Amino acid sequence: MRPERLNSLFAETASLKGVGPQLAKPLEKLGLTRVKDLAYHLPDRFVERRAVTDLDEASVGENIVVALTVREHRASSGRGPYRILAEDAVGNVCTLTYFGRASYTARKQLPTGEKRWVAGRLDQFGQMLQIVHPDHVAEDSASLGGRLCEPVYALSEGLTQGRVASLVAQALDLLPDLPEWTEPGLLERMGWPGWATALRSAHKGRDAAARDRLAYDELFANALALMLVRDANRTRRGTPLAGDGALRAKLDLPFALTGAQQRSIREIEGDLAQESPMLRLLQGDVGSGKTVVALSAMLVAVEAGKQAALLAPTEILARQHHETLMRMARGTGVEIALLTGRDKGRPRESILMGLLDGSIDIVVGTHAIFQDSVAYRDLALVVIDEQHRFGVGQRLMLAQKGRRTPHCLAMTATPIPRTLTLAQYGEMDVSRLDELPPGRQAIDTRVVAAERIEDVVGGLARHIDGGGQAYWVCPMVRESEGEDIAAAEARYAQLAERFGHDDVVLVHGQLKPDLKDTAMERFASGAARLLVATTVIEVGVDVPNATLMVIEQAERFGLAQLHQLRGRVGRGAARSVCLLLRGEALSEVSRERLALMRETQDGFRLAEEDLRLRGGGELLGTRQSGDTPFRIASLEQIEKLLPIAHDDARLLMERDGGLTGERGEAARLLLYLFERDYGVQLLRGG
């Protein structure tokens, strides 16, 4: 149970002054449903203003605070701007310009002949200095004293900067007095403030020490929780699995295993032979052969007289895995079943009975395979595909389905930098498939200017006429007002008109699951020739006949994401092409990113380069694609602080008595604060 001293932080935002049903909705869109969410809603940036005595001291384009005396109001006819002429202390004239309804407020705030302190950006219109829509107008300088450095928060429709700042201030007033969980020597060495001081400072201005302290707290909580999970797993009793190799000898594979596959299989077999349940992550680039490694592990379980299960994030991916395993295991006599949420009636009952009486050796499916109604005779191994879609909590629920805690093999086709692997999977051992099977063709990757889009569509037409299939990926579902970003819905409408609605399907994350599945199935079966989509297709779609990938505005994606998208093609024997459509204005980072895509197809190298190129700034394709589990810590901070946090967590567990004692009790509070309290629950469960 959460400690009472944290209750003020977990109170709903509706408990704050001024928050009613109307304001609660935009707050919820930003994930700001509790007081602590507001406290940790750190500013994206700060507007820094310089106080000047006269306009001669300021530069055009600079944010300033200056005292001005109002001389004249000038209203325009029609929809023209409302202008107010004002003078500084030495007679320089500046126009304060307002549009629309803002002019009504300006008339009251800026009476003729009165002096006002004005904050805003100094611009020039013709020969005249002007400030358009001043940020603040005050009657005395003291009122603007706190406006010289002002936070700028992420907003959603219905929120203003002022309203969010007011709510954040209320949240900060409710911060409880918490004991220090950071090791004292580290705190002194880094020059970090205390927790509450750091939170308040991070909202006031550019305070690197405060930001690092808060990021460290998040990383330390995560490292400590994963360590508790790992240690708890070691104390549990699993079932040692040592097969006799009879089933694996019957596998008739049309290819030789790579050295990386053989090494990973040996590592997994070593884990399975132990009484402590295996917790291992299998990282393999697209096409590296993870499935045959997983099958080998599952056959060890079956040879030992036990059952295995493979969990996939989507029904389509589950069906693909089932077909692949059936094909590979043909001739072994192993019974492999498919169970999804769509299965009803007698077929479902038959599968449930087979799992219960043990006649089904391996089951493949979605979350349906772990519902309460599903019981196993003796489940000893669980394989989780696309591990980044499932959290630690879901990994822990698997323990309830076996007589003893099942062994767990997690797989991901998303190459993850080593730093982030430690962050997300610190409780797991890691195997890497870092070589591709021989004979796999490289994907011809080209960068094409967006103005040549008609040529690309023409090439697409020839490709489809020749019997091929293709993907067209856009960075958004629909266009945002004022943003020139390719949107999937608009592009789908254009391409469907060109190629016919029967031949083109649309898939994006906002579609209902059944509509998405239907569209994917039409494409996978060949009924549709072109799939227009957002990045929802970056994982799991396997259509060997699809040999052309077009990624629009490719500069907007991270390297790892581009690589995953490119990996949707090149899955058959035919030569595949990936076209990266780029915009006109490219940053140096974007140019380097696209050049790397042409240069290499090594996903692990691209993942490391992606982390280096993005640093703490460009987050498109980072938090959005889910490859970091952190809200506060930036990529730069993860790189810098995670190893320290990991060492400190180990120090706390091994030297400082774990979660007992003064610092341990403080660390418990931290785990609850960052909602990593499953670590505490494990400790209690023993």
Side-chain angles (χ1 to χ4, degrees):
M1 185 180 293
R2 187 171 59 236
E4 284 187 18
R5 62 199 306 174
L6 296 179
N7 285 350
S8 62
L9 290 172
F10 283 86
E12 294 185 1
T13 48
S15 64
L16 297 176
K17 184 179 177 183
V19 180
Q22 192 171 352
L23 195 59
K25 288 180 181 178
L27 287 172
E28 189 175 349
K29 281 184 182 177
L30 289 173
L32 306 178
T33 58
R34 300 160 303 182
V35 169
K36 92 175 189 77
D37 301 326
L38 280 164
Y40 278 102
H41 187 57
L42 302 182
D44 285 341
R45 58 188 175 87
F46 290 88
V47 174
E48 294 182 3
R49 302 186 181 91
R50 189 163 63 92
V52 297
T53 55
D54 63 70
L55 296 170
D56 290 331
E57 295 179 28
S59 304
V60 171
E62 188 178 6
N63 283 294
I64 61 170
V65 173
V66 63
L68 298 173
T69 301
V70 180
R71 294 303 182 204
E72 183 183 346
H73 284 237
R74 292 182 181 176
S76 301
S77 58
R79 295 189 175 183
Y82 188 86
R83 292 188 172 92
I84 299 172
L85 271 59
E87 289 181 356
D88 66 11
V90 296
N92 292 314
V93 177
C94 180
T95 303
L96 308 179
T97 305
Y98 293 86
F99 294 89
R101 299 178 63 85
S103 63
Y104 296 111
T105 305
R107 289 183 179 120
K108 294 179 180 178
Q109 285 184 328
L110 294 153
T112 304
E114 296 290 324
K115 182 195 283 188
R116 293 291 184 264
W117 270 258
V118 177
R121 175 189 162 99
L122 184 65
D123 289 312
Q124 190 162 349
F125 183 69
Q127 297 299 310
M128 180 69 75
L129 293 172
Q130 72 169 353
I131 297 175
V132 179
H133 283 274
D135 297 325
H136 303 284
V137 174
E139 292 185 24
D140 56 74
S141 58
S143 301
L144 287 183
R147 306 287 190 183
L148 294 178
C149 184
E150 192 169 9
V152 178
Y153 295 99
L155 301 176
S156 64
E157 190 176 351
L159 290 174
T160 63
Q161 292 294 339
R163 180 58 62 91
V164 171
S166 168
L167 294 174
V168 166
Q170 287 188 63
L172 294 176
D173 286 342
L174 293 170
L175 295 183
D177 183 21
L178 299 180
E180 184 56 69
W181 45 74
T182 307
E183 201 272 323
L186 176 64
L187 207 63
E188 184 178 352
R189 189 166 71 250
M190 300 300 244
W192 287 341
W195 168 72
T197 302
L199 257 179
R200 293 188 177 101
S201 297
H203 286 279
K204 287 180 180 175
R206 301 178 193 278
D207 188 332
R211 284 269 186 162
D212 280 355
R213 157 71 207 243
L214 299 175
Y216 180 81
D217 289 346
E218 186 176 34
L219 296 169
F220 180 56
N222 192 71
L224 185 56
L226 293 181
M227 223 160 266
L228 288 165
V229 170
R230 186 184 186 112
D231 290 350
N233 196 64
R234 283 174 173 164
T235 63
R236 285 199 171 96
R237 291 181 65 196
T239 303
L241 301 177
D244 59 8
L247 293 174
R248 284 168 285 169
K250 293 179 182 178
L251 283 177
D252 184 18
L253 301 175
F255 49 81
L257 295 179
T258 65
Q261 286 173 315
Q262 294 173 20
R263 181 185 69 238
S264 297
I265 288 172
R266 286 195 300 271
E267 290 169 346
I268 291 166
E269 287 174 352
D271 286 354
L272 292 175
Q274 306 302 314
E275 190 174 53
S276 295
M278 173 176 70
L279 266 182
R280 182 169 288 275
L281 175 69
L282 178 63
Q283 274 192 296
D285 206 346
V286 175
S288 60
K290 294 181 299 301
T291 308
V292 71
V293 174
L295 175 59
S296 176
M298 290 190 283
L299 290 180
V300 171
V302 180
E303 288 169 0
K306 309 297 182 183
Q307 293 168 297
L310 193 158
L311 174 64
T314 66
E315 187 172 314
I316 288 175
L317 192 51
R319 291 185 186 280
Q320 288 177 1
H321 275 307
H322 181 248
E323 290 170 11
T324 303
L325 293 178
M326 291 285 284
R327 187 171 62 249
M328 286 182 174
R330 190 179 295 122
T332 63
V334 172
E335 189 66 32
I336 304 174
L338 174 70
L339 181 63
T340 70
R342 192 179 294 188
D343 296 308
K344 309 290 183 196
R346 285 189 178 178
R348 176 180 170 81
E349 289 175 14
S350 175
I351 295 170
L352 295 184
M353 186 58 68
L355 292 172
L356 188 58
D357 65 21
S359 59
I360 292 176
D361 301 303
I362 297 173
V363 64
V364 181
T366 55
H367 280 97
I369 66 177
F370 292 111
Q371 289 173 348
D372 291 340
S373 59
V374 182
Y376 296 80
R377 184 181 66 81
D378 200 351
L379 180 66
L381 170 65
V382 176
V383 179
I384 305 177
D385 193 25
E386 292 313 330
Q387 170 57 45
H388 66 284
R389 305 286 183 94
F390 304 100
V392 176
Q394 288 162 307
R395 300 206 279 269
L396 296 176
M397 80 179 180
L398 306 180
Q400 302 168 7
K401 285 296 179 183
R403 294 181 184 179
R404 292 185 179 179
T405 302
H407 296 276
C408 178
L409 175 66
M411 305 193 299
T412 178
T414 306
I416 305 170
R418 293 185 187 276
T419 304
L420 292 182
T421 301
L422 180 64
Q424 289 177 268
Y425 308 113
E427 88 282 23
M428 301 182 118
D429 297 306
V430 179
S431 294
R432 275 193 168 194
L433 297 180
D434 49 13
E435 57 182 302
L436 294 180
R440 183 171 169 85
Q441 293 188 54
I443 299 163
D444 183 3
T445 305
R446 309 173 196 172
V447 179
V448 182
E451 56 261 30
R452 292 184 55 201
I453 193 167
E454 286 305 317
D455 295 338
V456 172
V457 173
L460 175 62
R462 291 189 295 275
H463 178 79
I464 290 175
D465 289 343
Q469 289 175 271
Y471 301 93
W472 190 298
V473 177
C474 302
M476 293 182 69
V477 177
R478 57 183 64 90
E479 291 179 15
S480 298
E481 188 177 340
E483 287 197 70
D484 182 23
I485 299 175
E489 288 181 340
R491 188 62 69 205
Y492 165 74
Q494 294 165 1
L495 294 172
E497 186 175 346
R498 169 75 182 265
F499 297 109
H501 287 270
D502 288 340
D503 270 344
V504 186
V505 290
L506 172 68
V507 172
H508 57 71
Q510 294 177 22
L511 278 181
K512 291 181 179 177
D514 56 336
L515 294 176
K516 188 161 54 176
D517 286 348
T518 300
M520 294 285 242
E521 283 172 8
R522 288 195 70 235
F523 185 68
S525 69
R529 314 299 296 177
L530 176 62
L531 174 61
V532 180
T534 56
T535 56
V536 72
I537 58 121
E538 71 181 276
V539 166
V541 185
D542 187 0
V543 183
N545 191 47
T547 55
L548 174 62
M549 165 68 71
V550 180
I551 304 176
E552 201 165 347
Q553 288 187 313
E555 71 274 9
R556 296 188 62 84
F557 298 100
L559 267 176
Q561 204 168 28
L562 286 173
H563 180 64
Q564 285 296 303
L565 290 167
R566 176 170 62 183
R568 295 308 99 212
V569 296
R571 306 181 80 80
R575 171 177 166 273
S576 291
V577 176
C578 177
L579 301 180
L580 305 175
L581 288 182
R582 62 161 177 82
E584 291 181 19
L586 291 183
S587 67
E588 282 304 311
V589 168
S590 295
R591 289 183 191 282
E592 190 172 348
R593 193 181 276 155
L594 296 180
L596 277 163
M597 284 296 294
R598 285 199 310 270
E599 178 187 325
T600 183
Q601 314 228 351
D602 180 345
F604 289 104
R605 181 189 167 196
L606 288 171
E608 297 290 348
E609 290 292 329
D610 204 25
L611 185 63
R612 178 183 65 81
L613 287 172
R614 283 184 289 175
E618 294 188 51
L619 288 176
L620 182 69
T622 306
R623 289 196 172 92
Q624 290 88 334
S625 69
D627 66 3
T628 165
F630 304 113
R631 178 177 177 179
I632 309 301
S634 69
L635 289 170
E636 271 180 333
Q637 288 169 323
I638 293 169
E639 186 103 355
K640 177 174 68 173
L641 299 174
L642 182 64
I644 303 171
H646 196 266
D647 289 346
D648 194 20
R650 176 56 64 202
L651 191 70
L652 176 62
M653 294 301 295
E654 293 180 353
R655 189 198 72 181
D656 295 345
L659 298 191
T660 59
E662 190 174 336
R663 187 176 171 221
E665 287 297 327
R668 282 176 187 259
L669 290 171
L670 177 69
L671 289 170
Y672 279 104
L673 180 64
F674 280 101
E675 296 172 271
R676 302 295 203 276
D677 44 290
Y678 48 75
V680 181
Q681 308 307 326
L682 277 174
L683 202 67
R684 288 177 180 164

